Amino acid sequence: MENLLNVALIQHACPKTNNLSISIAGIKQAAAKGCELVVLPELHCSPYFCVTQDNKNFDLAETIPGPTCEALAKAAREYNVVIVGSVFERRTAGVYHNTAVVFERDGSIAGQYRKMHIPDDPGYNEKFYFTPGDLGFQPIKTSLATLGVLVCWDQWFPEAARLMAMAGAEILIYPTAIGWNQTDDRSIQQQQLDAWITIQRAHAIANGLPLLSCNRVGQETEDGDIFWGNSFICGAQGEILARCGDQAAVINAKIDLTASEKIRRSWPFLRDRRIDAYKGLLKRFSV
Amino acid sequence: MENLLNVALIQHACPKTNNLSISIAGIKQAAAKGCELVVLPELHCSPYFCVTQDNKNFDLAETIPGPTCEALAKAAREYNVVIVGSVFERRTAGVYHNTAVVFERDGSIAGQYRKMHIPDDPGYNEKFYFTPGDLGFQPIKTSLATLGVLVCWDQWFPEAARLMAMAGAEILIYPTAIGWNQTDDRSIQQQQLDAWITIQRAHAIANGLPLLSCNRVGQETEDGDIFWGNSFICGAQGEILARCGDQAAVINAKIDLTASEKIRRSWPFLRDRRIDAYKGLLKRFSV
């Protein structure tokens, strides 16, 4: 017996100060396809402001709940879907987070996840803006499934996916903003994209869980990276079920929530973890 | 400045009680191609005896050093290569390990790794034969590089690759024996193979390290699995450099030992690990 869940990714550009109308049009489109779970890209409300360090950008931050949450809550109610949205959270003066917020179908907030791994690279000045999350790797229970919501840079850390799986997540979900440096060769760009897809599929495989990754798309500033899209949905053995190209798109697929039980019986990795020998994982480096 | 190391995988069938001549012929071939590091499949000396539980098979076990080690040491000296071999180790009466042994170019033993994660599935009765390794995840220093040698089932555990990387490994290496159940559909078989390649490439990506995976090939018993070959070499961003098909083959590629420095500067995952929030990794499950 399968237990199919129709899920959607709203891959879109975020060119304006307020892109909520784009997000909500996508949610409407996904609901029309019968989707029950909808995922938006990272920080979808505004252009990706972390390209520079500018104090004025803290004006973009909002409380949770706040105006963006209210709009997404309304959409969740109107279209009867669970929504994974992304908010630049103002917690207090001087404490801001990059936060994913999950809305139930009735518009209530099911839970939130504050991005734990914060990148900092040219064009991605996130350590300037975001205090590292302090909620840990706690999945969020919803009426559809228990969601292991992580955010972007987290996707490079097998530890994050594992901890979500071990805390009971039934789906891994990554709102994302990642792109190519325009000055890199096309071959390097393709290798990076391939690495990005590969490591996330590996989290699905390692943990026997379906995975949804929703990226932004397109170029927002003259010197900025080109967000590479390629959002995808894969099954519990990492098999690709749906994948976007580099244009805005709403894609969907039916994931089987019973697949994890089957896959984990065949490949019981969780049974065989050497927890007696993993203490080194709590170190920065061992040499 | 690149620092290229020519490495080889000897993918071969292991049909006989003693296949060392096949292994050594492959080592000779690799040396003739100018390779300096040569990797053999898991338990390459004998047929894969773990298909059944039979006490007589413990007769196949050897001490380290022992006859197989002596033969591989001789080959290392003769062909002036570092060899990663695999031995069914008899440590004492009732304590046997699945052990990778690394030989220096002068034939001395550089180090050994006892398989830490032990599988147990139909056709892979490894928990019957092998005591779980007790040497931890310690890379082995050689004149060529520091080798993060793991074995087969370890390849499904991101923890193992991470710990090797954190202990200073410069290359991840997996002698392997994995195959298809004959009764599975071709699509399931392909999905499994794809998952196997994907998760190992992801270890390369997560840790910014080149990776070598050397599998057996072919069918050894009437009911047994068909070892799927597809051994491969990938670079520090998971890019495939060479890959076998499902037939015996000696493949080689030049890996760049300076690539890790470059890749880890661009994608500094080790900098951003949330070691304050990883304690849960030491648990079996958190729910």
Side-chain angles (χ1 to χ4, degrees):
Chain A
M1 280 289 283
E2 293 179 326
N3 177 10
L4 298 177
L5 180 64
N6 199 345
V7 301
L9 310 181
I10 317 297
Q11 173 174 295
H12 69 72
C14 309
K16 301 180 291 182
T17 306
N18 187 331
N19 304 289
L20 264 176
S21 59
I22 304 176
S23 300
I24 289 169
I27 293 165
K28 181 180 178 181
Q29 201 178 326
K33 293 182 182 191
C35 298
E36 297 180 282
L37 172 64
V38 182
V39 181
L40 295 164
E42 185 183 14
L43 301 170
H44 50 87
C45 289
S46 69
Y48 184 72
F49 50 85
C50 309
V51 287
T52 57
Q53 297 188 3
D54 186 343
N55 270 327
K56 284 182 195 155
N57 285 330
F58 289 108
D59 290 341
L60 295 168
E62 298 181 36
T63 53
I64 296 176
T68 293
C69 284
E70 281 166 28
L72 292 174
K74 183 166 171 285
R77 263 196 314 274
E78 185 168 350
Y79 300 111
N80 192 33
V81 292
V82 169
I83 297 173
V84 180
S86 174
V87 174
F88 180 20
E89 179 190 2
R90 183 186 184 282
R91 191 169 172 186
T92 187
V95 180
Y96 302 83
H97 295 285
N98 184 330
T99 304
V101 186
V102 177
F103 301 89
E104 253 305 346
R105 304 171 89 149
D106 64 2
S108 61
I109 291 179
Q112 58 183 297
Y113 166 79
R114 291 183 177 131
K115 188 174 184 174
M116 290 287 284
H117 298 95
I118 309 294
D120 208 75
D121 308 283
Y124 297 85
N125 293 276
E126 295 202 15
K127 289 194 196 295
F128 175 75
Y129 291 105
F130 308 128
T131 302
D134 60 350
L135 297 176
F137 301 96
Q138 279 303 320
I140 295 167
K141 288 192 182 181
T142 74
S143 57
L144 301 176
T146 300
L147 309 183
V149 180
L150 296 156
V151 176
C152 200
W153 193 238
D154 292 323
Q155 66 210 172
W156 300 101
F157 298 83
E159 293 91 341
R162 180 71 94 202
L163 286 165
M164 278 294 185
M166 287 174 56
E170 294 173 286
I171 309 173
L172 295 171
I173 300 176
Y174 295 88
T176 295
I178 190 167
W180 290 308
N181 186 313
Q182 296 182 55
T183 64
D184 279 336
D185 289 342
R186 189 76 188 143
S187 65
I188 288 177
Q189 294 180 345
Q190 283 304 318
Q191 187 169 301
Q192 291 176 343
L193 168 58
D194 195 25
W196 178 77
I197 291 173
T198 299
I199 200 165
Q200 291 180 89
R201 289 181 58 211
H203 302 328
I205 296 162
N207 297 292
L209 292 177
L211 182 148
L212 321 181
S213 182
C214 188
N215 193 15
R216 299 160 81 100
V217 70
Q219 191 173 356
E220 297 172 7
T221 56
E222 200 175 328
D223 299 332
D225 277 13
I226 302 165
F227 295 106
W228 66 44
N230 278 280
S231 304
F232 68 94
I233 300 166
C234 72
Q237 207 166 41
E239 73 279 14
I240 299 283
L241 301 175
R243 178 175 165 184
C244 294
D246 60 1
Q247 301 296 313
V250 175
I251 59 164
N252 70 301
K254 289 179 181 171
I255 57 174
D256 180 6
L257 292 176
T258 67
S260 297
E261 179 73 31
K262 190 177 162 197
I263 292 287
R264 288 185 182 172
R265 287 185 190 190
S266 297
W267 286 358
F269 308 140
L270 295 181
R271 178 192 68 188
D272 292 337
R273 295 176 68 246
R274 286 295 302 270
I275 54 174
D276 60 310
Y278 288 170
K279 282 203 187 70
L281 294 171
L282 306 185
K283 293 185 182 174
R284 181 61 63 204
F285 202 69
S286 304
V287 176
Chain B
M1 278 289 282
E2 292 180 326
N3 176 11
L4 297 177
L5 179 64
N6 199 345
V7 302
L9 310 181
I10 318 297
Q11 174 174 295
H12 69 72
C14 308
K16 301 179 294 183
T17 305
N18 187 329
N19 304 289
L20 263 176
S21 60
I22 304 175
S23 300
I24 289 169
I27 293 166
K28 182 180 179 182
Q29 200 179 326
K33 293 183 183 190
C35 297
E36 297 180 282
L37 172 63
V38 183
V39 181
L40 295 164
E42 185 183 14
L43 301 170
H44 50 87
C45 289
S46 70
Y48 184 73
F49 50 86
C50 310
V51 286
T52 56
Q53 298 188 4
D54 186 343
N55 270 327
K56 285 182 194 154
N57 286 329
F58 288 109
D59 290 343
L60 295 168
E62 298 181 35
T63 53
I64 295 176
T68 293
C69 285
E70 281 165 27
L72 292 174
K74 183 167 172 284
R77 264 195 314 274
E78 185 169 349
Y79 300 111
N80 191 33
V81 292
V82 169
I83 298 172
V84 180
S86 175
V87 175
F88 179 20
E89 178 188 4
R90 183 187 184 281
R91 191 169 172 187
T92 189
V95 180
Y96 303 83
H97 295 287
N98 184 330
T99 304
V101 186
V102 178
F103 300 89
E104 251 307 346
R105 304 171 87 148
D106 64 2
S108 61
I109 290 179
Q112 57 183 299
Y113 166 79
R114 292 184 177 130
K115 187 173 184 174
M116 291 287 283
H117 298 95
I118 310 295
D120 209 74
D121 308 283
Y124 298 84
N125 293 276
E126 295 203 13
K127 289 194 197 293
F128 174 75
Y129 291 104
F130 308 128
T131 302
D134 59 350
L135 298 176
F137 302 96
Q138 279 304 320
I140 296 167
K141 287 193 181 180
T142 74
S143 56
L144 301 175
T146 301
L147 310 182
V149 180
L150 296 157
V151 176
C152 200
W153 193 239
D154 291 323
Q155 67 210 172
W156 299 100
F157 298 83
E159 293 91 343
R162 180 71 94 201
L163 286 164
M164 279 294 185
M166 287 174 56
E170 295 172 286
I171 309 173
L172 295 171
I173 299 177
Y174 295 88
T176 296
I178 190 167
W180 289 308
N181 185 314
Q182 296 182 55
T183 63
D184 279 336
D185 289 342
R186 189 76 189 142
S187 64
I188 287 177
Q189 294 180 345
Q190 284 303 318
Q191 187 170 301
Q192 291 176 343
L193 168 58
D194 194 26
W196 179 75
I197 291 174
T198 299
I199 200 166
Q200 291 180 90
R201 290 179 59 210
H203 302 327
I205 296 162
N207 297 292
L209 292 177
L211 182 148
L212 321 181
S213 182
C214 188
N215 194 16
R216 300 161 82 100
V217 69
Q219 191 172 355
E220 298 172 7
T221 55
E222 201 175 325
D223 298 333
D225 277 13
I226 302 165
F227 294 106
W228 67 43
N230 278 279
S231 303
F232 69 94
I233 299 166
C234 73
Q237 207 166 40
E239 72 281 14
I240 298 283
L241 301 175
R243 179 175 164 183
C244 294
D246 61 0
Q247 300 296 315
V250 175
I251 59 164
N252 71 300
K254 290 179 181 169
I255 57 173
D256 180 6
L257 292 176
T258 67
S260 297
E261 179 73 31
K262 189 178 162 198
I263 292 288
R264 287 184 182 174
R265 287 185 190 189
S266 297
W267 285 357
F269 308 139
L270 294 181
R271 179 193 68 188
D272 292 335
R273 294 176 68 246
R274 286 294 304 271
I275 54 175
D276 61 310
Y278 288 171
K279 281 202 186 71
L281 294 171
L282 307 184
K283 294 185 183 175
R284 181 61 62 204
F285 201 70
S286 304
V287 176

